[in-house]
Amino acid sequence: MAIRKDIEDLTASEVQRFREELLTPEELAQIKEDVMAFCIIEIRKFCGEDIFERKNEELKAKGFDKKKMKARLTQNGKKK
C-alpha cells in the first residue's frame, strides 16, 4: 500500500512538472485509479491471476471478512 501511494505521488509530481495549472481533484483521482490498475496487473502477472481470490479465501478461513472490515472503516462517513 505504501509503495502504491509513493507511485501515485511520484506520478502526480511528474505530470504536474509539465503543466502550468495545478492538477484538479478529478485528475488526481484518475491518476490514483490508473496506478491502482497498473499495480493489480503487475501483481497478477508475477503471482498468478487468482492471487486476490486466494488471499480473500485465506482471510475468510481466519475469520476476517473484507466487507465487514470495509464497513467498519467508513462508519459514520469518516475513516477510522
Side-chain angles (χ1 to χ4, degrees):
M1 294 281 264
I3 293 173
R4 188 179 77 212
K5 179 68 175 138
D6 289 345
I7 294 170
E8 290 170 9
D9 293 343
L10 289 170
T11 303
S13 295
E14 285 300 308
V15 170
Q16 186 63 59
R17 266 184 31 176
F18 299 101
R19 297 174 50 123
E20 292 181 15
E21 66 277 352
L22 292 176
L23 291 167
T24 65
E26 294 82 17
E27 291 168 329
L28 289 172
Q30 184 62 48
I31 288 171
K32 183 177 180 179
E33 288 177 19
D34 292 347
V35 168
M36 186 180 304
F38 171 78
C39 290
I40 289 170
I41 290 168
E42 291 299 306
I43 290 169
R44 285 186 171 160
K45 184 182 350 176
F46 290 103
C47 298
E49 286 293 321
D50 64 340
I51 186 69
F52 296 106
E53 292 79 12
R54 283 191 286 148
K55 187 63 177 176
N56 194 29
E57 292 301 320
E58 288 175 15
L59 290 173
K60 281 184 181 178
K62 292 180 180 179
F64 295 100
D65 187 3
K66 186 177 178 181
K67 291 179 185 176
K68 288 181 186 176
M69 290 172 36
K70 190 173 188 177
R72 270 188 256 141
L73 291 174
T74 59
Q75 188 175 20
N76 297 327
K78 296 180 181 178
K79 289 185 179 180
K80 294 196 173 205

